[in-house]
Amino acid sequence: MTVAIDVQGLGKAYGAKIAVHPLSLTIQQGEIFALLGVNGAGKTTLINMLSCLIKPTEGDAFLLGNSILSAKQKVKERIAVLPQETAIAPNLSVRENLRLMAGVHGFHKTVAERKVEEMLTLFSLRPVEKQRSKILSGGWKRRLSIAMALISEPEILFLDEPTLGLDILARRELWTVIQHLKGKVTLILTTHYLEEAEALAHHICIMKAGHIEALGTAEELMQRTGTQRFEDAFVNIVGGEIG
Ligand SMILES: Nc1ncnc2c1ncn2[C@@H]1O[C@H](COP(=O)(O)OP(=O)(O)OP(=O)(O)O)[C@@H](O)[C@H]1O
């Protein structure tokens, strides 16, 4: 197995407030890694540091061997971030949005068209390809934004709460999309839905107050806490507070 992300004593403080205490972990290439925790646990801060959006105050992290401090540009070229707010142009169609994104990444017209076709197929977007994006449902929008994030062929993709606000059917459909990416791209996702982490992730990291409280497979975390259900393991680990 090859390491995709190697976090070494990475921490972030805002003055006296420590958002993330120095922590270390490794994430293997091609795995789905879930970050769980109650509100304010430090998940977004950690993701933002790894994706070079904010600067750490301690430590370093290496993404595909590149430091987020000294090789920021190289890191940025190999990752993509799906923010909670999407980057979809509302008046453009699904196809046009994909084409636009391919243009942003500087692909030549023929390559861009091939990529658009690939994404339409991979994400089963053909039924809605001509629709204006603003009239798409939340689930389709989220699916399109993942396709847009993947058009640059990133090796690491960060998904911050990818299914937030979606109904159960749309969420399940998106799970299928995410499952198809297993092994092809390293995926780091934050979520508040425990069943989502359990269903999708190889490894789950549970954070609390800026610390890693537990890290392992869902099975391991249940075994460790002597529980039968992942939800009980989570409650046991974070001490009864659910965010
Ligand atoms: N710019 C900032 N200035 C000061 N404190 C901050 C700043 N950003 C985050 N924090 C604090 O750092 C802590 C971690 O926040 P973070 O957003 O990373 O948590 P989270 O686990 O992503 O929470 P949520 O699930 O609510 O998104 C919180 O206590 C938050 O108030």
Side-chain angles (χ1 to χ4, degrees):
M1 278 276 216
T2 322
V3 172
I5 301 182
D6 183 9
V7 179
Q8 298 182 0
L10 194 68
K12 177 75 181 176
Y14 292 100
K17 165 84 199 168
I18 299 177
V20 173
H21 291 266
L23 56 84
S24 300
L25 58 90
T26 54
I27 299 174
Q28 305 296 329
Q29 245 171 45
E31 81 163 295
I32 300 184
F33 187 90
L35 280 171
L36 284 179
V38 295
N39 292 119
K43 307 178 295 289
T44 304
T45 306
L46 178 57
I47 281 211
N48 286 348
M49 287 193 282
L50 293 177
S51 53
C52 301
L53 289 173
I54 59 170
K55 221 175 153 185
T57 45
E58 280 209 57
D60 199 352
F62 298 84
L63 278 71
L64 306 156
N66 303 298
S67 157
I68 57 168
L69 296 178
S70 61
K72 203 166 148 181
Q73 197 47 42
K74 278 199 177 138
V75 171
K76 284 188 170 176
E77 283 164 14
R78 300 177 74 176
I79 67 170
V81 182
L82 184 82
Q84 283 170 355
E85 293 294 308
T86 70
I88 298 173
N91 285 318
L92 297 185
S93 70
V94 166
R95 177 180 276 276
E96 286 163 345
N97 263 292
L98 287 168
R99 205 179 272 153
L100 181 73
M101 195 47 90
V104 166
H105 288 288
F107 292 117
H108 269 276
K109 215 175 160 205
T110 41
V111 181
E113 279 310 309
R114 182 170 53 72
K115 288 195 163 289
V116 169
E117 295 300 330
E118 264 171 38
M119 289 302 154
L120 288 172
T121 306
L122 186 66
F123 290 92
S124 311
L125 285 163
R126 292 203 185 272
V128 295
E129 67 170 292
K130 294 200 178 82
Q131 271 184 34
R132 276 186 180 213
S133 304
K134 66 179 169 196
I135 62 162
L136 294 175
S137 69
W140 282 108
K141 273 192 189 135
R142 213 63 62 85
R143 192 185 280 229
L144 171 59
S145 51
I146 296 180
M148 287 165 67
L150 282 174
I151 219 156
S152 65
E153 292 181 5
E155 288 155 89
I156 298 174
L157 176 64
F158 293 94
L159 301 171
D160 200 1
E161 305 202 36
T163 65
L164 184 73
L166 298 186
D167 66 42
I168 187 70
L169 289 180
R171 180 174 305 148
R172 288 296 169 100
E173 277 175 19
L174 211 62
W175 285 7
T176 311
V177 169
I178 292 172
Q179 268 156 343
H180 280 311
L181 299 173
K182 253 186 194 173
K184 297 187 189 122
V185 55
T186 307
L187 250 158
I188 293 87
L189 65 95
T190 71
T191 181
H192 279 287
Y193 303 112
L194 303 179
E195 70 281 13
E196 182 160 298
E198 193 180 5
L200 296 178
H202 297 100
H203 289 105
I204 299 170
C205 176
I206 300 180
M207 292 185 71
K208 182 180 174 185
H211 292 280
I212 295 177
E213 288 292 310
L215 201 168
T217 63
E219 276 301 316
E220 284 164 358
L221 299 181
M222 287 189 281
Q223 249 174 33
R224 202 179 109 178
T225 48
T227 51
Q228 305 293 320
R229 296 187 324 145
F230 182 64
E231 192 178 325
D232 294 331
F234 179 83
V235 172
N236 190 299
I237 289 163
V238 301
E241 312 158 51
I242 295 192

